[in-house]
Amino acid sequence: MSQHLSLPKDKIRFLLLEGVHQNAIDTLNAAGYTNIDYRKTALEGEALKEAVKDAHFIGIRSRTQLTEEVFAAANKLIAVGCFCIGTNQVNLNAAMIRGIPVFNAPYSNTRSVAELVLAESILLLRGVPAKSASTHRGGWNKSAVGSFETRGKTLGIVGYGSIGSQLSVLAESMGMHVIYYDAVTKLPMGNARQVGSLDELLANADVVTLHVPDVPSTRNFFAKAQFAKMKEGSIFINAARGTCVVIEDLADAIKSGHIAGAAVDVFPKEPKANGEEFVSPLRGLDNVILTPHVGGSTMEAQANIGLEVAEKFVAYSDKVNFPEIALPLTEGKHRLLHIHKNVPGVLSKINNLFAEHGINISGQSLMTKGDVGYLVMDVDATASQEALDTLHEVEGTIRVRVLF
């Protein structure tokens, strides 16, 4: 079935930042979208506002911050794609009240992160980072003291989601015992066991690894008190979010010898681009593995993410269905999106106004989320302009636009 888009595909502009994978560009081009502004770095401030003002779709990774001010500058914006797991770099409320969906790839790099954490666990239990650093300086410390096998050790996973559960399976295959703590009850994989409290996990785990989202309850989640409750000589790993750990307290726990080693991939403040200096109290500690937020940065993961998010862009632009609202496409119809305050009576007012104007609705679907409601409706193509004008009259209207 042929379909009339609200804009020709060559007029729909994509802004892709932070060097997203070539798969994303290839996928968009194959679908007929060629107006792509591709940049290898993150943007901020006025440069970001200038770049987004003519963009219909924006693709970012983890560095670019889409704030209320950025959304206010992006008058043509239709959708946002986060080419990564999380969306905490996006002001989701600012997107929601404008009817802008935010896509991401929550599962495409889980294997990459899980493999890195397991590898770091092995290296730290053997004391390899400190031995490597000493050898680079000309030292020769051939000793088994402080070196342990992973087999038989207990891995404590904090946050048993898609990454934590996959790590659980990999760790068990290496002969580790797995315990996990989560805010909600989760079905264990293999022989893993959920514990009743974080304190119980910290008291029993030889390796503690974080896999939690960035939400208010997890900010500064691990600090002096939590490190003190960990087993003497245990290992700490954070490949989740930099905001979850008080880095200064971790550094103190390592320097005191209470924690034998750590691996950290994410930080409270990270450089905006390659080449900028990375500053952290963990620098210079031989028994700490520091990586520049590369947990999910494998060629396989980035290729998968590029494909997944770009396909979501294409599906949204081509089929023009708001997420969680699905209507079959109908020949001879135009599809309208009405975003409004979530108050009683809006749908009734719209239906009554359309009836007064003799506008027939052939399909309609409503979704509400928090304080905002999203109404997608199909009307006869010949009546779409009148319908659009009528929707602007409805009290509580936030935004109205023709999808196709």
Side-chain angles (χ1 to χ4, degrees), residues 7-83:
L7 275 176
K9 286 189 175 183
D10 63 350
K11 301 296 184 184
I12 298 177
R13 182 171 178 267
F14 290 78
L15 174 64
L16 302 181
L17 302 177
E18 302 183 57
V20 302
H21 196 274
Q22 181 66 34
N23 264 8
I25 298 173
D26 294 343
T27 300
L28 293 172
N29 286 342
Y33 298 98
T34 58
N35 189 355
I36 301 172
D37 181 0
Y38 177 83
R39 310 192 192 191
K40 292 185 177 180
T41 61
L43 293 177
E44 61 181 340
E46 293 305 317
L48 179 57
K49 292 179 186 178
E50 179 65 24
V52 303
K53 69 178 184 180
D54 292 321
H56 298 97
F57 290 82
I58 299 174
I60 61 173
R61 293 178 68 188
S62 58
R63 291 174 181 165
T64 302
Q65 302 294 310
L66 298 185
T67 62
E68 165 64 35
E69 291 76 17
V70 174
F71 277 104
N75 293 324
K76 299 179 181 179
L77 192 58
I78 295 172
V80 169
C82 295
F83 287 76

Side-chain angles (χ1 to χ4, degrees), residues 18-19 40-42 61 63 270-278 292-294 297:
E18 302 183 57
K40 292 185 177 180
T41 61
R61 293 178 68 188
R63 291 174 181 165
E270 299 179 357
K272 294 292 183 183
N274 291 341
E276 291 185 19
E277 184 180 7
F278 165 68
H293 205 146
V294 294
S297 295

Side-chain angles (χ1 to χ4, degrees), residues 3 59 77 138 177 198 228 249 252 254 282 309-310 313 319 321 337 368 390:
Q3 176 179 311
L77 192 58
H177 304 298
L198 178 61
D249 291 351
D252 289 342
I254 293 169
L282 297 175
V309 179
F313 273 167
K319 298 177 182 178
N321 271 321
L337 171 64
T368 59
T390 301

Side-chain angles (χ1 to χ4, degrees), residues 8 43 81 150 185 222 272 312:
L43 293 177
T150 55
T185 301
F222 261 66
K272 294 292 183 183
K312 290 178 179 179

